[in-house]
Amino acid sequence: HAVFALAVKSEVTSNDGVKKIRMSKFTLVDLAGSERQKATDASGDRLKEASMINSSLLCLGQVINALVEKEQGKMKHVPFRESKLTFLLKDSWGGNSKTCLVATVTPSMTSLTETISTLKFAQRAKQIKNTAVLNEDTCGSIAALQAEISRLKSELESSTLVRLLPVSESNDPLKGATISALRNQYSKLNNEIKALKDVTNKRASQVQSLKRKLQ
């Protein structure tokens, strides 16, 4: 197998001292195909390599089956630690990510078993649903965070009336799309305010703890 992982981090500091940190990770994986040892006549190191490839693919299949069962509401342990491959792909399968799978098959009848196995693998993988959200963390002084909360609250209040307006009241598709976009913005601002409140409360408790120690 070949695994290429790229981590990207960006930091933006506003004029009021609030720093927003965003993290993202891009993973590109080329999975080696499973091999029938009888068909390839592999021996020695090549045989050992093929055996390890098949073992890791088997673990990956077990992980996907477990994730599919979890999607169906079953309590299932996902064995990500069974192999290095599944551990590296933990974020890609069932995590905070967007995953694209390309299955490569051949029309040759000699590889019919491998083709069917690959298609079944892709079919199971399609049943896994990931929910990707923005990886953003906010930090800064308590005063700066409180100012940011106030700013977001003012934006939130300005969009409250739009959120309450049903889209069906407007026959204009453009207005309906605008209202839907503003509703999404309203929900996003709500989440940002909640996250900032949590950070502010944590900072305030840390300050109080330090004050008690200094007394």
Side-chain angles (χ1 to χ4, degrees):
H1 310 299
V3 180
F4 171 77
L6 175 65
V8 180
K9 178 180 178 181
S10 65
E11 296 184 6
V12 178
T13 304
S14 61
N15 295 330
D16 52 7
V18 177
K19 181 187 292 186
K20 293 185 177 181
I21 304 173
R22 293 184 179 182
M23 297 288 296
S24 60
K25 185 178 180 182
F26 175 78
T27 306
L28 182 63
V29 183
D30 182 13
L31 295 175
S34 60
E35 296 184 0
R36 288 182 295 172
Q37 297 172 3
K38 291 183 179 180
T40 58
D41 293 328
S43 60
D45 292 340
R46 185 64 184 274
L47 178 61
K48 187 183 296 183
E49 179 184 353
S51 178
M52 294 178 67
I53 289 173
N54 292 341
S55 176
S56 61
L57 290 175
L58 177 62
C59 291
L60 181 58
Q62 292 172 347
V63 165
I64 289 177
N65 289 336
L67 289 171
V68 170
E69 291 184 11
K70 286 188 69 175
E71 289 287 342
Q72 297 171 353
K74 299 180 181 179
M75 297 297 294
K76 188 73 175 180
H77 169 68
V78 184
F80 283 113
R81 296 182 178 273
E82 291 295 323
S83 72
K84 294 180 180 179
L85 177 65
T86 53
F87 184 75
L88 288 172
L89 298 181
K90 182 178 180 180
D91 294 334
S92 300
W93 295 108
N96 180 22
S97 64
K98 292 184 178 181
T99 303
C100 178
L101 174 67
V102 179
T104 306
V105 295
T106 174
S108 174
M109 289 300 296
T110 57
S111 302
L112 179 61
T113 304
E114 286 81 1
T115 298
I116 294 176
S117 177
T118 301
L119 293 175
K120 287 182 177 179
F121 171 83
Q123 185 181 25
R124 290 197 305 271
K126 282 177 61 178
Q127 299 178 37
I128 301 174
K129 296 180 180 180
N130 288 357
T131 303
V133 296
L134 183 64
N135 288 324
E136 185 177 73
D137 189 18
T138 304
C139 60
S141 64
I142 295 177
L145 292 174
Q146 289 176 342
E148 181 69 6
I149 290 174
S150 300
R151 185 187 67 81
L152 291 173
K153 279 185 176 180
S154 63
E155 289 188 19
L156 193 61
E157 289 172 359
S158 65
S159 60
T160 300
L161 295 176
V162 177
R163 182 182 66 89
L164 296 176
L165 178 64
V167 179
S168 57
E169 288 186 7
S170 174
N171 295 325
D172 190 346
L174 182 59
K175 289 184 179 179
T178 303
I179 293 173
S180 297
L182 289 172
R183 283 180 173 175
N184 293 333
Q185 184 182 5
Y186 177 88
S187 177
K188 182 181 178 182
L189 288 172
N190 254 329
N191 293 334
E192 288 185 8
I193 289 174
K194 183 179 178 182
L196 283 170
K197 282 183 176 179
D198 292 340
V199 174
T200 304
N201 292 335
K202 183 178 179 181
R203 291 291 176 86
S205 63
Q206 289 175 349
V207 170
Q208 292 298 327
S209 177
L210 289 172
K211 285 181 177 180
R212 286 194 297 268
K213 289 180 180 180
L214 292 173
Q215 288 176 354

